[in-house]
Amino acid sequence: MSIHTVSLLVEAIFLKAKSLQHLQRFREAAQTCKVILDIVEFSIPQGLPENFTADCKVQETLNEAVKMLPELWKCSDSPHEAILSYQQALLHQWNLDAETIARIQNQFALFLLYYGGEALPPNPCSQMDGSFIPRNNIEEAILLLMILLKRVSMKRIEWDPSILDHLSFALSLSGDLRALANQIEELLPGFICRKERYHSFMLLWNRRRFGSFESIAKIVA
């Protein structure tokens, strides 16, 4: 098929998914939206080429489908499908811009931290040799948030203070606050003011000394 025909087909499927979403038939909308991504992923397993262009908005439709699918699964109360769709969005090459990828990573991390269930790990076949595969939700959320902080320090994305807040919570659950201290230390001057930086280091030091944030709260009170 010509690129024009493919574009019309993809756009028609996407519009059907949007219509089902408007009717609040979220599971059907998600299943319809997933068809688009599965077709592209199966047809181009190595990912879309960086110079891929489409006169008929194929790229734009794919971008919207990638962002919409996890939200549809969440609205249909299907957390595991939502997690798999987040992983599909991040592991496959969709030619998303840096801010869109960061937004998806942030949303995925928050979902892993707060939705209350346990995720399925990413498919090992989709990982690069020797790459780290998270063992649970907390580890995967921490990995995503650390990636976001790294991109902030490299000035590839805009600074979002909530990233550090959520990472602090995740690392406190895992008991590994030294990693948080390293992340704070690596942030370039200007992202965190000196007063806030020293305040964070003091909390981390007291956390190690007294064993819990509850103990610190009692001392402050």
Side-chain angles (χ1 to χ4, degrees):
M1 292 187 293
S2 67
I3 190 64
H4 180 72
T5 303
V6 172
S7 176
L8 291 176
L9 178 61
V10 168
E11 193 169 359
I13 297 173
F14 183 71
L15 289 175
K16 179 182 178 182
K18 291 287 289 184
S19 298
L20 290 168
Q21 180 188 32
H22 182 71
L23 295 171
Q24 298 187 355
R25 294 161 61 178
F26 298 115
R27 176 168 287 275
E28 293 176 66
Q31 291 169 341
T32 302
C33 186
K34 189 175 185 298
V35 169
I36 299 173
L37 304 186
D38 287 346
I39 289 174
V40 175
E41 190 173 33
F42 179 78
S43 303
I44 316 175
Q46 72 277 13
L48 295 172
E50 292 184 2
N51 60 350
F52 176 80
T53 57
D55 295 335
C56 300
K57 301 195 300 184
V58 173
Q59 182 69 67
E60 181 182 341
T61 305
L62 284 176
N63 292 354
E64 292 300 319
V66 168
K67 292 185 289 185
M68 188 172 77
L69 184 56
E71 300 304 318
L72 292 174
W73 284 127
K74 287 191 285 187
C75 290
S76 67
D77 196 23
S78 304
H80 288 302
E81 287 81 359
I83 287 169
L84 291 174
S85 65
Y86 274 124
Q87 291 171 345
Q88 182 184 31
L90 296 174
L91 292 174
H92 195 72
Q93 175 61 41
W94 303 106
N95 283 351
L96 303 176
D97 62 80
E99 290 295 337
T100 299
I101 293 173
R103 193 179 306 116
I104 293 173
Q105 289 174 327
N106 194 27
Q107 292 171 350
F108 187 20
L110 300 190
F111 188 66
L112 289 169
L113 279 176
Y114 304 119
Y115 98 94
E118 190 57 50
L120 297 174
N123 183 355
C125 296
S126 64
Q127 303 291 304
M128 297 173 60
D129 292 340
S131 62
F132 172 72
I133 299 178
R135 295 172 296 179
N136 52 51
N137 285 11
I138 302 300
E139 285 191 358
E140 189 160 8
I142 290 171
L143 177 62
L144 289 165
L145 293 167
M146 284 187 168
I147 290 172
L148 288 172
L149 277 185
K150 187 68 174 180
R151 290 183 175 178
V152 167
S153 66
M154 297 173 69
K155 298 185 178 181
R156 292 183 178 177
I157 60 174
E158 295 293 327
W159 165 240
D160 179 359
S162 68
I163 296 174
L164 195 57
D165 295 336
H166 296 303
L167 181 59
S168 301
F169 173 71
L171 287 171
S172 68
L173 291 179
S174 70
D176 186 6
L177 295 177
R178 180 170 303 197
L180 178 59
N182 292 336
Q183 288 295 313
I184 295 174
E185 191 174 12
E186 288 178 5
L187 283 175
L188 295 174
F191 292 113
I192 304 178
C193 67
R194 179 174 297 182
K195 181 178 178 181
E196 184 177 351
R197 187 185 295 256
Y198 289 157
H199 177 69
S200 299
F201 281 133
M202 183 60 68
L203 284 176
L204 294 173
W205 183 83
N206 282 330
R207 171 64 173 84
R208 294 185 63 187
R209 181 181 178 186
F210 296 107
S212 70
F213 286 117
E214 288 79 3
S215 299
I216 300 172
K218 291 178 181 178
I219 293 173
V220 173

